[in-house]
Amino acid sequence: MTGPDATIVSPPVEWAQRRDKIFVTITVRDCPKNYALQVEPRRISFTGSNPEQNKKFELNLELYGEIESEEYKQKSSDRNIQLCLQKRRKEEGEYWPRLLESKTRMHFLKTDFNKWKDEDETDDDDETNTWENMMSSMNIDGTEGDSEEEAQDSDDDDLPDLEDEKEFEKLE
């Protein structure tokens, strides 16, 4: 395995959340299949090594809230480990202000904006229905009939010529 002088580093981590889930992606590109992962209600622990690069990877994430440690999904590849963690909620739809219990910024932890959804965002189906309802109420497509008075507007009147024709003839 790795020698006693192995460099200990934290692997890059990305996270995102929904109302009931937390998504965590641990990048293990430099740690081929030599790792251990442990998921607990308030903690995620990861250890791994790369003997060729003499590196040891360690990660201990103390989570902001509790998760269902028995009900998580994991997808592993040569590049990363993706976790889908079920939140153990006190309140329906409670969003966490951050992933970790500590407010300290960690250099290896980033937000995964590809998976992120804000609290005020809805599911795509709901969003489409809301958008269609809004457009129909605004009459964007113009299907509603206008009365003749509304159709003929005061600014549709004929405008006087900008130049006097006599002055224009003198210039020629």
Side-chain angles (χ1 to χ4, degrees):
M1 202 150 225
T2 56
D5 297 330
T7 306
I8 299 174
V9 294
S10 296
V13 176
E14 290 185 332
W15 83 288
Q17 70 176 314
R18 303 284 169 85
R19 291 189 189 283
D20 58 344
K21 295 180 179 89
I22 296 288
F23 299 102
V24 177
T25 302
I26 304 169
T27 303
V28 294
R29 171 179 31 239
D30 296 330
C31 183
K33 307 285 184 202
N34 299 329
Y35 61 82
L37 179 70
Q38 186 175 5
V39 178
E40 298 172 16
R42 298 239 0 168
R43 173 189 288 212
I44 299 172
S45 300
F46 172 85
T47 56
S49 63
N50 186 332
E52 295 172 6
Q53 295 181 0
N54 202 27
K55 284 186 181 177
K56 185 174 181 183
F57 297 92
E58 286 187 7
L59 182 66
N60 287 307
L61 301 176
E62 298 290 334
L63 301 175
Y64 175 82
E66 287 192 16
I67 57 169
E68 301 289 344
S69 59
E70 311 299 322
E71 299 178 22
Y72 73 93
K73 295 177 185 174
Q74 176 180 340
K75 182 181 175 186
S76 301
S77 71
D78 292 339
R79 302 192 73 162
N80 58 37
I81 299 170
Q82 295 180 5
L83 301 172
C84 179
L85 309 165
Q86 192 72 29
K87 289 182 186 177
R88 187 179 291 168
R89 296 183 301 225
K90 297 174 188 167
E91 232 178 83
E92 182 69 27
E94 179 182 347
Y95 268 65
W96 295 0
R98 59 190 174 275
L99 177 64
L100 303 179
E101 185 174 38
S102 168
K103 290 184 179 182
T104 307
R105 183 162 165 78
M106 302 295 181
H107 69 281
F108 59 85
L109 182 62
K110 296 183 177 150
T111 303
D112 187 349
F113 288 106
N114 293 327
K115 294 180 184 173
W116 189 272
K117 263 200 175 177
D118 287 329
E119 285 182 72
D120 56 351
E121 289 185 60
T122 59
D123 293 333
D124 291 339
D125 294 336
D126 292 342
E127 189 172 327
T128 302
N129 291 337
T130 304
W131 178 257
E132 289 173 357
N133 290 339
M134 182 179 69
M135 289 309 206
S136 67
S137 68
M138 292 173 58
N139 190 27
I140 297 298
D141 58 357
T143 55
E144 200 173 292
D146 293 332
S147 68
E148 282 188 35
E149 287 180 21
E150 291 176 8
Q152 188 173 10
D153 207 350
S154 64
D155 58 351
D156 291 341
D157 296 339
D158 290 334
L159 296 175
D161 292 333
L162 295 177
E163 296 182 5
D164 190 11
E165 289 180 24
K166 291 179 184 176
E167 288 182 28
F168 185 68
E169 290 175 1
K170 289 180 186 176
L171 294 175
E172 292 181 346

